[in-house]
Amino acid sequence: MDAALGWSFFISWGVSACCGWRAGLSLLGVSLVAHLGWLWLHPAFDFMTDWRFISLVVLAALVESIIDKFRTSSVILDSCGLVVRTGVALWLVSSLITNFSWGWGIVLGIALGGATTFLVNLAKPLTRTWLTDLLPGATALGSLILSCVEDLAICLALLGVFFVPWLGLVYALAGVLWALFVLYQFIRQGGNLWRWHWDRIWLGDN
């Protein structure tokens, strides 16, 4: 495997794992680093380095982060994220794989980025609920604290992926394995994942 292609895979996979938690920050990170010339994108995605596009992404990242700070709205965000965050991951992987045609980039985006982000995003609310229950005080405050910690963690993870690409492989494997473990434990205990998401949205079962 060509070294540049290998780094592209590592970065793409790591960004996909981060995207399962914060799509806006992941998209912003890739756009900013590419704008600064520290990362090369597929020519079809050169528009991502334009400051006007970056300005829109900053707004989207802020909106996502703010919505995630409130327990009720974060429930809807996580459910929508199964589609939105997975779509953003597909987009990002397609832009980062520069050694293939745009069409092959989409295929790799689905296989590599989409699957990883979907799994991580599926396990995110389960992880958040479990961690919130461990925190003292009101669950709303616990959710707010965790959301802020997630913002910081994703920013640091993205920096690590961009400047030490092999960390992308570590983050992605850790994210996928954790997601599979959380989902397995939930299902093994008799949980119905889709019903759980439905109840959180419509019945407020948080």
Side-chain angles (χ1 to χ4, degrees):
M1 179 184 291
D2 179 79
L5 179 59
W7 292 137
S8 295
F9 272 113
F10 291 166
I11 293 173
S12 300
W13 207 10
V15 168
S16 298
C18 294
C19 200
W21 290 86
R22 293 288 189 279
L25 284 177
S26 301
L27 183 56
L28 178 60
V30 171
S31 298
L32 276 177
V33 175
H35 176 78
L36 294 172
W38 299 338
L39 189 67
W40 286 269
L41 303 179
H42 190 282
F45 295 89
D46 281 344
F47 67 90
M48 290 172 59
T49 63
D50 188 275
W51 67 267
R52 289 166 293 188
F53 177 83
I54 293 174
S55 299
L56 292 176
V57 177
V58 168
L59 179 60
L62 283 173
V63 170
E64 180 186 25
S65 181
I66 292 171
I67 291 175
D68 193 72
K69 298 295 180 291
F70 300 94
R71 191 170 175 83
T72 302
S73 57
S74 69
V75 170
I76 300 175
L77 179 65
D78 288 334
S79 298
C80 294
L82 292 172
V83 175
V84 177
R85 286 172 176 155
T86 300
V88 172
L90 189 158
W91 175 357
L92 289 175
V93 173
S94 299
S95 71
L96 289 166
I97 302 295
T98 60
N99 300 63
F100 293 106
S101 67
W102 186 72
W104 276 110
I106 292 178
V107 173
L108 289 170
I110 296 173
L112 187 68
T116 300
T117 300
F118 185 85
L119 270 177
V120 172
N121 186 80
L122 199 60
K124 175 183 178 289
L126 291 170
T127 303
R128 171 76 71 82
T129 300
W130 175 62
L131 290 175
T132 300
D133 291 341
L134 295 179
L135 291 174
T139 56
L141 178 59
S143 184
L144 174 62
I145 293 172
L146 282 174
S147 182
C148 292
V149 171
E150 289 167 12
D151 288 336
L152 178 60
I154 294 304
C155 288
L156 293 176
L158 287 169
L159 285 174
V161 169
F162 294 141
F163 294 104
V164 188
W166 60 264
L167 284 177
L169 178 64
V170 176
Y171 294 154
L173 286 175
V176 169
L177 290 176
W178 172 256
L180 290 174
F181 172 76
V182 170
L183 294 172
Y184 169 75
Q185 290 296 324
F186 181 78
I187 294 172
R188 189 173 68 89
Q189 294 172 9
N192 184 316
L193 196 60
W194 306 113
R195 181 58 183 269
W196 185 75
H197 272 281
W198 178 270
D199 287 346
R200 292 178 80 227
I201 295 173
W202 298 109
L203 303 180
D205 182 11
N206 295 317

